Amino acid sequence: MAEYIPLELPENPRLAENIAHFARALRYAGLPVGPGRVADAVRAVAASGFTSRMDFYYTLAACFISRPEHRLVFAQTFRLFWRDPRFLEHMM
């Protein structure tokens, strides 16, 4: 079993704000993401911890994907947004 090394966060992380921006990107992409889901996602990430990209991905997916056809849109948006959030803003 591989051991996960926790990801380092800056001293003043803006993770909740970035999750809200990610939710906005998902809305632009067509997913029905409202403020309740954003709040749930922030709480879920806080509860699950921020130890690996895969855990982060699946935590957010559990909060934001409500239909099977949303999986591909979520995956593409996640890849683009978390690589460079400003890149996605320019695309929109």
Side-chain angles (χ1 to χ4, degrees):
M1 175 189 275
E3 184 177 317
Y4 290 107
I5 299 171
L7 301 177
E8 292 184 28
L9 292 174
E11 278 187 35
N12 185 13
R14 295 178 24 189
L15 190 57
E17 184 178 330
N18 286 333
I19 290 172
H21 288 303
F22 176 60
R24 186 179 317 140
L26 290 172
R27 272 194 300 277
Y28 286 138
L31 271 63
V33 176
R37 287 187 186 222
V38 175
D40 289 345
V42 171
R43 284 192 296 269
V45 168
S48 68
F50 196 83
T51 55
S52 77
R53 183 176 174 89
M54 186 184 333
D55 290 344
F56 183 61
Y57 175 91
Y58 285 113
T59 300
L60 291 180
C63 295
F64 292 131
I65 297 173
S66 57
R67 302 181 59 89
E69 57 268 20
H70 295 161
R71 286 188 180 132
L72 182 59
V73 173
F74 176 88
Q76 292 171 341
T77 306
F78 183 92
R79 184 175 51 83
L80 290 173
F81 184 89
W82 294 104
R83 178 182 299 169
D84 181 2
R86 285 170 283 174
F87 173 78
L88 194 59
E89 287 176 20
H90 293 293
M91 293 287 290
M92 289 189 237

